[in-house]
Amino acid sequence: MAIERVAIIGRGAVGLLYGTIAEKNLGPGAVQYVMDDARFARHAGETVTVNGEPCRVPTVPASEATPVDLVILAIKAPGLPVALDTMERLVGPHTAIASLINGVTSEERIAERFGWGRTVLSVAQGMDAVFIGTDMTYSHPGEIRFGAAPGTAAGVVEDVADLYARAGIPHVVEADIRHRMWTKLMLNVGINQVCMVYGGTYGSASEPGSEQNRCFVAAMREALAVARAEGVGVTEGDLAQMAQLVASLDPAGMPSMAQDRINEKPTEVEEFSGTICRLAERHGLLVPTNQWLYRRICELEAGFRTR
């Protein structure tokens, strides 16, 4: 079934990136942002820019939303419980669902509410979007990598791929999407957390021999060990590829958790080192770098002002 109407939950860096690309190629009316009513009221009248241009994609409150053909979740993991409630008005019997939430657990929680049949497994990677205040900038759009879960119905992946192609969203269909998701988790465990703790950038974390670079690689290597204990064949080659990817980005850019530190917003630490530490304990593995990162990020979050 051709996907014509898309709703994006999440008007942060990733949501703005792919929403504006899609609107430019699909035209007015094809894409909308949907917010829960309380968030919509807080952001009423706000002008958001993407590379200096006002965002033209409309935003509607959940109470006025109707079922669409595809729901894309582009939120931070802490916002998933509210997003699931928002999705109730968007998901019909033929609605496909794609989660771009970091980590490896969001799709399971989505499927508990809406089923696996129309849900695909996804990651977004390689973008360098930075969203500070109401201004988002990027030079690399990255790509969405996705594939079928064991319970995904036939044809859903193809429908989503067709939509991404028409929308101009860079994408790759993965035969082994679980491997890709764990590779992305390994990357996030390193780059997101290190840049958050050190106040660093892609450039500082990639500097050979630096303390940030040593921490970046050590955190990823611990995640690699946990992935293998979970039966996912992440390799040193994958680790090297992720390090090279970071080194290719704008050296002044920064990942989402570093932006969370600036904006004093809740981070996804539970999805990153929280997941690695919990699974490491189950498998009897030592992960001292992730344990330190977890403690330090929690300390930093505790000092954020209440907003």
Side-chain angles (χ1 to χ4, degrees), residues 186 217 221 224 228 233-242:
M186 175 179 67
V217 174
R221 190 159 282 129
L224 184 155
R228 294 181 71 86
V234 180
T235 68
E236 282 286 331
D238 294 321
L239 188 153
Q241 183 183 53
M242 292 299 98

Side-chain angles (χ1 to χ4, degrees), residues 126-130 140 187-188 191-192 195 200-207 212-213 216 243 245-259:
M127 70 288 295
D128 60 358
V130 175
H140 295 280
L187 171 64
N188 279 328
I191 193 61
N192 257 292
C195 286
T201 64
Y202 296 129
S204 63
S206 299
E207 184 180 348
Q212 289 185 43
N213 186 250
F216 170 39
L245 184 151
V246 170
S248 73
L249 299 176
D250 178 1
M254 65 186 74
S256 60
M257 280 184 78
Q259 298 171 50

Side-chain angles (χ1 to χ4, degrees), residues 104-105 108 178-179 182 185 222-234 275-285:
V104 293
T105 65
E108 292 180 3
R178 190 162 179 250
H179 175 271
W182 267 94
L185 176 61
E222 290 175 1
L224 184 155
V226 171
R228 294 181 71 86
E230 285 283 295
V232 183
V234 180
T275 296
I276 297 303
C277 291
R278 286 189 292 272
L279 292 177
E281 183 176 8
R282 180 188 304 172
H283 294 292
L285 299 174

Side-chain angles (χ1 to χ4, degrees), residues 268-299:
E268 294 178 298
V269 65
E270 293 296 340
E271 298 300 315
F272 297 161
S273 53
T275 296
I276 297 303
C277 291
R278 286 189 292 272
L279 292 177
E281 183 176 8
R282 180 188 304 172
H283 294 292
L285 299 174
L286 298 177
V287 288
T289 302
N290 276 279
Q291 288 173 334
W292 176 76
L293 287 166
Y294 182 85
R295 290 193 302 269
R296 185 68 186 117
I297 291 167
C298 290
E299 290 170 357

Side-chain angles (χ1 to χ4, degrees), residues 146-157:
F146 69 104
T152 305
V156 176
V157 168

